[in-house]
Amino acid sequence: MEELIHSGIARYEYRHFIIFGSASQFAAMATECAGDQGAWWEFHDAYLIDARARSFTRAGALELARDEGLDVAQFTQCIDNEEHRDRILQMQQQAIADGARGTPTFLINGRMAARSLDGIIEQVHDAAEAVENQEGG
């Protein structure tokens, strides 16, 4: 996948998908608030992957924000005001409309992709070849 992305054939697009109700929604909002301070991926990886923060609580998010060197007051205001809530819910609605039922989900030219990595790579190459044929012919 990395090769396809670096070559410009594919792009990686992350969208929040609320799987575990309010805990997932809170985790998405906290991640977006960290992103406001330029720490989206760092916070995402630590909060969603690191086992010590899997509870997705406000206290856990604030502790991680401190650990990541974020402005905790700004971060707290962002999560308390749910500043990214509407956009996250829009991502959820769009994902469902696109056919997503879980994570990860891959779309190729707006259509549900194969489930295996080999199948996805084959579909991406087929789509790129179709584009090349249209441009060349």
Side-chain angles (χ1 to χ4, degrees):
M1 289 305 286
E2 190 172 317
E3 177 186 325
L4 296 171
I5 292 167
H6 285 302
S7 70
I9 292 173
R11 74 171 186 240
Y12 178 82
E13 192 174 300
Y14 185 98
R15 296 182 189 173
H16 295 290
F17 192 71
I18 310 304
I19 297 173
F20 302 113
S22 61
S24 291
Q25 183 175 323
F26 180 82
M29 286 190 295
T31 301
E32 291 297 324
C33 290
D36 290 346
Q37 297 185 46
W40 197 99
W41 279 112
E42 295 85 352
F43 192 91
H44 169 274
D45 290 353
Y47 197 62
L48 299 176
I49 297 171
D50 184 358
R52 72 184 168 96
R54 286 190 186 261
S55 64
F56 303 140
T57 64
R58 184 178 184 277
L62 294 177
E63 178 184 345
L64 183 57
R66 268 191 287 292
D67 291 350
E68 292 293 321
L70 301 180
D71 178 329
V72 177
Q74 178 184 339
F75 180 83
T76 302
Q77 180 177 354
C78 180
I79 61 173
D80 287 350
N81 292 339
E82 298 184 340
E83 292 180 14
H84 298 283
R85 181 182 177 275
D86 291 344
R87 189 166 59 81
I88 290 164
L89 293 177
Q90 287 173 348
M91 284 184 199
Q92 175 78 3
Q93 291 169 346
Q94 185 61 54
I96 291 168
D98 288 342
R101 299 292 176 259
T103 63
T105 297
F106 298 94
L107 301 176
I108 299 175
N109 291 337
R111 292 189 317 243
M112 197 63 63
R115 289 309 223 176
S116 71
L117 182 57
D118 288 339
I120 291 169
I121 291 171
E122 183 179 332
Q123 285 178 285
V124 168
H125 282 296
D126 290 347
E129 186 176 302
V131 169
E132 288 175 8
N133 289 339
Q134 279 181 331
E135 290 173 353

